[in-house]
Amino acid sequence: MKRIFIILSLILIHLSCLAEDQNRLIRNLHWERRSFDIPYISCRDTLPLSDYAFPIDLMIGSNFDNYVWEDLALIKQYSKKVNLAEDELWLDSSINKKFNIAKDFILFSAYFGEGDFGKHILVTILPDGTYIDSIAVGASILSAVDVGEIYQPMKWEITEDLRVITYQLKPTSATPIMGDTPIADTIEAQRIDRIYQLGDNGKFTHLVTKYYKPQMYSKNNFLDPTYDISAGGERIN
């Protein structure tokens, strides 16, 4: 009987700790007062990132992609061990926006990275904080040459029917274009659109990827946060 009592106590402690962790995410979402309607288009939103932490340690162990990109083509990945107990965390991690949707789950955007480069993601969770799914929707790469400038090779939108579309300008150069090297005033790149459907279960389903013919883009197209990649008029490849 004593052994059973000890086992039950340990289970209750584990469940209590789990609830406390999940409530840490719910608490931070509650503190983020900004809430956005859909449709939403990222290049029209110039509000700063939130100061409320995104507890990314709660995502580890799921299908969460715990990496960011270091180059403009979003190929070169950088990952980092995340362990809250050992104080091993991403340098930057914040909840960005909550979205108003009439669903049985919560949809929000978040950002995480390592100072010079970071990734924007959309995340779905249950009302108790349980992780459901996430996808990458944007990237930020700090220029070490043009001080204060940030390259944004991917932007995104959410449509009224809960389709998520990401718009990427992917440089065609065989050599990775990094933020810590000088970048030419014009860059040959290929526009790539990816379309996902957010289902009633809170999961993102990839529907289609569209590739456009490569062309020359101004460096400013990567730097201007208000540049609308979807309105570029490129031809389908």
Side-chain angles (χ1 to χ4, degrees):
M1 180 66 69
K2 184 177 180 180
R3 182 179 179 184
I4 294 175
F5 176 77
I6 292 174
I7 293 174
L8 288 174
S9 297
L10 291 173
I11 292 174
L12 288 174
I13 291 172
H14 172 73
L15 292 176
S16 176
C17 292
L18 181 60
E20 182 179 349
D21 273 344
Q22 291 171 340
N23 286 338
R24 182 156 48 96
L25 174 56
I26 296 299
R27 178 195 63 200
N28 290 0
L29 278 168
H30 176 72
W31 284 346
E32 174 50 71
R33 298 299 184 184
R34 297 179 298 182
S35 187
F36 293 78
D37 293 327
I38 55 173
Y40 171 86
I41 300 176
S42 67
C43 68
R44 297 179 184 174
D45 181 4
T46 57
L47 292 174
L49 295 178
S50 168
D51 292 329
Y52 299 115
F54 171 46
I56 197 171
D57 56 288
L58 301 182
M59 311 294 114
I60 305 303
S62 61
N63 65 339
F64 183 80
D65 290 327
N66 183 42
Y67 65 82
V68 297
W69 295 290
E70 296 181 275
D71 67 312
L72 262 64
L74 308 185
I75 295 175
K76 188 176 175 59
Q77 296 180 1
Y78 174 85
S79 186
K80 182 175 183 177
K81 179 182 177 182
V82 174
N83 188 323
L84 182 62
E86 299 178 10
D87 201 27
E88 295 178 327
L89 298 168
W90 287 96
L91 181 63
D92 303 310
S93 64
S94 64
I95 292 169
N96 198 357
K97 295 171 178 65
K98 296 182 298 186
F99 293 97
N100 299 316
I101 56 172
K103 297 294 180 181
D104 295 328
F105 56 85
I106 298 169
L107 173 66
F108 67 95
S109 64
Y111 174 85
F112 70 97
E114 202 62 11
D116 291 343
F117 35 81
K119 183 163 67 173
H120 299 266
I121 58 176
L122 276 178
V123 184
T124 53
I125 59 172
L126 292 175
D128 67 357
T130 301
Y131 173 81
I132 302 176
D133 202 5
S134 62
I135 56 170
V137 293
S140 297
I141 299 172
L142 182 67
S143 172
V145 180
D146 301 313
V147 179
E149 299 285 11
I150 300 175
Y151 294 97
Q152 299 183 43
M154 182 189 288
K155 296 170 183 174
W156 54 285
E157 71 171 292
I158 307 174
T159 65
E160 289 188 13
D161 58 354
L162 290 182
R163 286 197 174 188
V164 179
I165 308 173
T166 64
Y167 304 99
Q168 178 187 0
L169 293 182
K170 182 179 180 179
T172 58
S173 171
T175 303
I177 300 177
M178 313 294 288
D180 59 358
T181 58
I183 296 177
D185 290 336
T186 55
I187 304 169
E188 183 179 64
Q190 181 180 34
R191 173 181 160 185
I192 302 174
D193 299 351
R194 297 177 180 86
I195 304 175
Y196 305 84
Q197 181 67 57
L198 178 55
D200 291 336
N201 61 357
K203 291 186 175 292
F204 299 96
T205 300
H206 176 248
L207 300 179
V208 66
T209 300
K210 298 180 180 180
Y211 298 90
Y212 296 79
K213 293 184 181 296
Q215 66 180 48
M216 300 303 295
Y217 293 88
S218 165
K219 181 170 68 171
N220 193 56
N221 294 148
F222 290 82
L223 292 171
D224 182 0
T226 65
Y227 176 68
D228 188 352
I229 298 175
S230 69
E234 297 88 346
R235 292 181 297 166
I236 290 286
N237 200 353

